[in-house]
Amino acid sequence: IVFNPQEYDAGTVSMAAGLVKKTYQIKNEGEGDLKIEDMSTSCHCTVAVLTVGDKKSPEFGMDGSSFWSQKIAPGETGYLEMIFDPAYHGPSAVGPVVRAVWFLTNDPQNKKAEVRLNANVVQ
């Protein structure tokens, strides 16, 4: 599994500006299918959707789902969109934040994978 990027700095984000969206590439550089499962986010203010070819996952949040999985074929790339709502926690929730999407894989080098979004939230 290869990420591009694995961590993204969104810089200063305003609550008033709305959602922050970032798409992460997840490439399978192995010789067999890469299995992605048990996806969840670090906070209710963040959701994630994985698209591989014409298959789009459900929207995952902090509660995740153990009933879903997706395969990425060798040489294929999946696109993980992370959507962060900087206004979710209200006007007093300002300052630096780190949000993550976690999931399990069958990659022996990366069984529990994570991508991150960093931001400095302002009103």
Side-chain angles (χ1 to χ4, degrees):
I1 188 168
V2 176
F3 301 96
N4 184 25
Q6 187 163 15
E7 188 163 1
Y8 172 70
D9 186 350
T12 299
V13 297
S14 166
M15 289 180 185
L19 302 176
V20 176
K21 298 180 181 182
K22 176 62 182 170
T23 300
Y24 301 79
Q25 294 180 2
I26 301 173
K27 186 171 184 182
N28 179 359
E29 292 191 352
E31 296 179 11
D33 285 344
L34 174 65
K35 187 175 182 181
I36 308 288
E37 59 188 355
D38 292 338
M39 187 175 292
S40 64
T41 66
S42 60
C43 183
H44 287 295
C45 64
T46 306
V47 296
V49 175
L50 177 65
T51 303
V52 180
D54 62 353
K55 294 182 181 176
K56 192 172 188 174
S57 76
E59 192 173 87
F60 292 101
M62 192 171 175
D63 298 327
S65 172
S66 59
F67 300 106
W68 170 89
S69 69
Q70 176 65 51
K71 291 182 180 173
I72 301 176
E76 191 174 21
T77 300
Y79 300 91
L80 176 64
E81 183 178 37
M82 184 188 298
I83 305 160
F84 165 60
D85 182 354
Y88 182 90
H89 297 288
S92 63
V94 295
V97 298
V98 177
R99 297 296 180 253
V101 176
W102 299 299
F103 49 91
L104 301 179
T105 80
N106 63 339
D107 180 342
Q109 304 296 319
N110 209 344
K111 292 265 187 206
K112 186 168 183 177
E114 174 181 329
V115 295
R116 289 174 300 280
L117 181 142
N118 303 311
N120 182 41
V121 178
V122 298
Q123 285 188 352

